[in-house]
């Protein structure tokens, strides 16, 4: 407790790749820099992890073997068995598991009395399917395939992983509540957070005096789950749309794009597609609009605050902020409230400037370094749980963690 830990970090995908691969890479990097000994077991390596020992399970030298080449489920099984073998041969204090294909490793850890934590980057899978499926049906989109399309085989894999793990790492209240609603003991729900990596660009708060209208931006995959349709409805129903701009950054799924065609054609809306320069996009905007209906904890909400861009997000987005201070929160699907929030900031540049300044003050507690401190705390609580004790806190207290990460 409180010292160097030997961690087996199982990630059955390409670590360092975009999406969850980037989150996992930053977790490992933060742990290494905090002095922990980390053995990464990944399907492949998209980015080197300095200071960590790395074993790849789906790669031949520097050549990655795609999961589809041998079948996704078989690939996950191959990874899981390789990680379990390493656990049997090694000497570890804790196992950190990402979905999918980590059930055998989790069971081996349980047999050996080693705490195993299973990452939950989104809400409980069955909950996510219900929410996203209902929205797709409501919009009349038919058979649109997304990462949250129901897959009973994968759900069974996840259920086995959750059952075998000592605890579940949950990055937001929304995720924690979805697992609690599914019957999970709250003592097993260990709250941590994700983060963002500050760039070299100097970020400034938004000016009180600005001759232009409100600059709003949506950043993310264009799919029903992310609520872009709600964002557009709120924007087009607002006074802000008369003088401002709404920029959509991200790839749009078909037939979702077709469903939104008339709204995307509005003169105030700009669609720019995918961009790798998210920090520049956020630095050029006043507000981030993300009315997601299901999420874990969207990394763009961390990045926005680091850029002084005020988040206007749903409660499902998993943003780490105080409502009315660094951003505004609305209930998922409440277009009217989001519209009013847009108009409020469009009409009160002083309030926008104050909230932008608050974002920049808050940003140091949202970095991946801060996230590593929170993750370290979860590791220590998992050791207590595995020994038959009770974790000091049922679910993460944001105020306490803000104090803990002030390092």
């Amino acid at each position: 407790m409180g010292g160097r830990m030997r961690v087996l970090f199982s990630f059955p995908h390409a670590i360092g790749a975009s999406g969850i691969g980037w989150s996992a890479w930053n977790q490992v990097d933060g742990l290494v820099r905090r002095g922990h000994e980390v053995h990464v077991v990944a399907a492949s390596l998209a980015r080197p992890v300095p200071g960590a020992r790395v074993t790849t399970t789906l790669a031949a030298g520097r050549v990655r073997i795609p999961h589809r080449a041998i079948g996704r489920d078989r690939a996950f099984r191959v990874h899981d068995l390789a990680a379990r073998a390493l656990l049997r041969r090694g000497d570890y204090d804790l196992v950190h598991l990402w979905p999918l294909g980590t059930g055998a490793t989790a069971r081996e850890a349980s047999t050996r009395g080693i705490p195993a934590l299973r990452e939950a980057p989104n809400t409980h899978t069955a909950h996510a399917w219900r929410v996203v499926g209902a929205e797709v049906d409501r919009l009349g989109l038919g058979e649109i395939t997304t990462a949250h399309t129901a897959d009973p085989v994968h759900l069974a894999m996840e259920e086995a992983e959750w059952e075998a793990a000592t605890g579940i790492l949950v990055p937001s209240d929304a995720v924690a509540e979805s697992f609690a609603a599914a019957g999970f003991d709250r003592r097993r729900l260990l709250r941590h957070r994700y983060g963002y990596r500050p760039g070299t660009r100097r970020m400034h708060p938004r000016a009180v005096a600005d001759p232009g209208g409100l600059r709003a931006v949506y950043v993310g995959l264009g799919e029903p789950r992310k609520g872009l349709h709600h964002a557009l409805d709120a924007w087009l129903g607002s006074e802000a749309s008369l003088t401002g701009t709404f920029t959509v950054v991200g790839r749009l799924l078909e037939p979702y794009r077709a469903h939104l065609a008339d709204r995307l054609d509005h003169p105030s809306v700009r669609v720019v597609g995918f961009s790798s320069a998210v920090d520049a996009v956020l630095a050029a905007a006043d507000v981030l609009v993300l009315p997601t209906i299901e999420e874990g904890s969207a990394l763009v909400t961390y990045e926005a605050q680091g850029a002084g861009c005020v988040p206007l997000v749903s409660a499902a987005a998993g943003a780490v902020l105080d409502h009315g201070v660094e951003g505004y929160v609305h209930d998922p699907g409440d277009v009217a409230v989001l519209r009013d929030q847009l108009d409020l900031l469009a009409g009160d540049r002083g309030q926008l400037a104050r909230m932008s300044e608050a974002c920049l003050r808050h940003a140091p507690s949202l970095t991946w370094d801060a996230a590593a401190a929170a993750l370290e705390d979860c590791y220590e609580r998992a050791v207590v749980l595995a020994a038959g004790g009770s974790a000091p806190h049922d679910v993460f207290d944001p105020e306490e963690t803000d104090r803990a990460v002030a390092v």
Side-chain angles (χ1 to χ4, degrees):
M1 296 286 287
R4 180 185 178 94
M5 296 187 75
R6 296 160 298 181
V7 180
L8 180 70
F9 193 100
S10 177
F11 187 78
H13 313 276
I15 194 165
S18 60
I20 62 172
W22 176 241
S23 297
W25 186 93
N26 277 286
Q27 287 180 331
V28 173
D29 178 68
L31 290 168
V32 168
R33 288 189 292 104
R34 290 185 70 84
H36 300 290
E37 181 181 328
V38 185
H39 184 176
V40 176
V41 187
S44 58
L45 191 64
R47 181 188 180 102
V49 190
R53 178 185 173 191
V54 178
T55 298
T56 55
T57 59
L58 289 173
R62 295 186 178 182
V63 179
R64 300 185 204 174
I65 301 173
H67 289 64
R68 63 180 179 277
I70 61 174
R72 286 179 58 82
D73 292 343
R74 184 182 178 195
F76 290 137
R77 178 67 174 164
V78 167
H79 173 89
D80 196 12
L81 294 178
R84 184 182 68 178
L86 290 169
L87 179 59
R88 286 175 172 174
R89 296 197 302 268
D91 189 10
Y92 301 98
D93 299 308
L94 182 137
V95 178
H96 186 149
L97 308 163
W98 275 77
L100 291 154
T102 52
T105 308
R107 289 188 292 274
E108 182 68 22
S110 179
T111 299
R112 293 173 174 268
I114 301 171
L117 293 181
R118 167 53 156 76
E119 190 85 33
N122 292 300
T123 59
H124 187 285
T125 304
H127 170 270
W129 291 349
R130 287 193 300 271
V131 171
V132 176
E135 191 69 6
V136 169
D137 290 344
R138 188 183 71 81
L139 296 175
L141 294 177
E143 296 297 324
I144 183 171
T145 300
T146 73
H148 289 75
T149 299
D151 185 333
V153 173
H154 283 189
L155 177 58
M157 292 172 64
E158 293 202 76
E159 288 174 337
E161 294 164 10
W162 297 328
E163 178 64 27
T166 307
I168 313 296
L169 288 167
V170 293
S172 69
D173 288 343
V175 176
E177 290 306 316
S178 72
F179 277 88
F184 282 73
D185 187 338
R186 287 184 179 272
R187 291 173 297 179
R188 295 181 62 216
L189 305 178
L190 303 182
R191 176 74 187 276
H192 68 129
R193 64 170 53 167
Y194 296 138
Y196 87 102
R197 186 169 287 268
T200 57
R201 178 188 297 268
R202 183 179 176 85
M203 299 299 182
H204 300 279
R206 304 305 177 261
V208 173
D210 192 319
L214 188 71
R215 299 166 298 175
V217 66
Y218 167 96
V219 180
L221 180 64
E223 60 173 337
R225 171 178 172 255
K226 291 282 190 175
L228 176 57
H229 50 294
H230 293 316
L232 288 167
D233 287 344
W235 174 257
L236 297 178
S238 71
E239 295 293 323
S241 65
L242 299 178
T243 56
T245 57
F246 185 97
T247 304
V248 179
V249 180
R251 181 172 63 89
L252 297 176
L253 296 184
E254 293 290 354
Y256 190 52
R257 176 194 282 272
H259 177 77
L260 299 176
D262 58 337
R263 283 167 276 191
L264 295 173
D265 285 342
H266 191 272
S268 68
V269 177
R270 303 171 182 176
V271 181
V272 300
F274 174 81
S275 173
S276 59
V278 173
D279 58 340
V281 168
L282 294 169
D286 296 318
V287 297
L288 167 73
V289 184
L290 187 64
T292 185
I293 63 170
E294 187 282 324
E295 190 94 38
S297 185
L299 299 191
V300 71
T301 64
Y302 298 80
E303 295 170 315
Q305 292 180 73
C309 180
V310 178
L312 306 183
V313 299
S314 78
V320 180
L321 57 81
D322 287 332
H323 176 71
V325 180
E326 296 95 10
Y328 286 126
V329 181
H330 62 275
D331 290 333
D334 197 334
V335 172
V337 169
L338 177 57
R339 179 200 62 213
D340 291 346
Q341 293 168 354
L342 286 164
D343 280 337
L344 188 158
L345 294 183
D348 188 344
R349 293 289 305 189
Q351 176 67 359
L352 175 66
R354 287 188 293 273
M355 295 181 79
S356 178
E357 290 176 354
C359 285
L360 294 174
R361 288 195 301 269
H362 192 215
S365 70
L366 301 177
T367 64
W368 280 112
D369 285 343
L375 183 59
E376 183 180 70
D377 179 65
C378 289
Y379 282 5
E380 294 183 351
R381 284 185 277 165
V383 171
V384 175
L385 282 173
S390 297
H393 305 283
D394 289 348
V395 177
F396 163 96
D397 178 344
E399 292 185 2
E400 178 180 333
T401 300
D402 280 344
R403 293 192 295 270
V405 300
V407 294

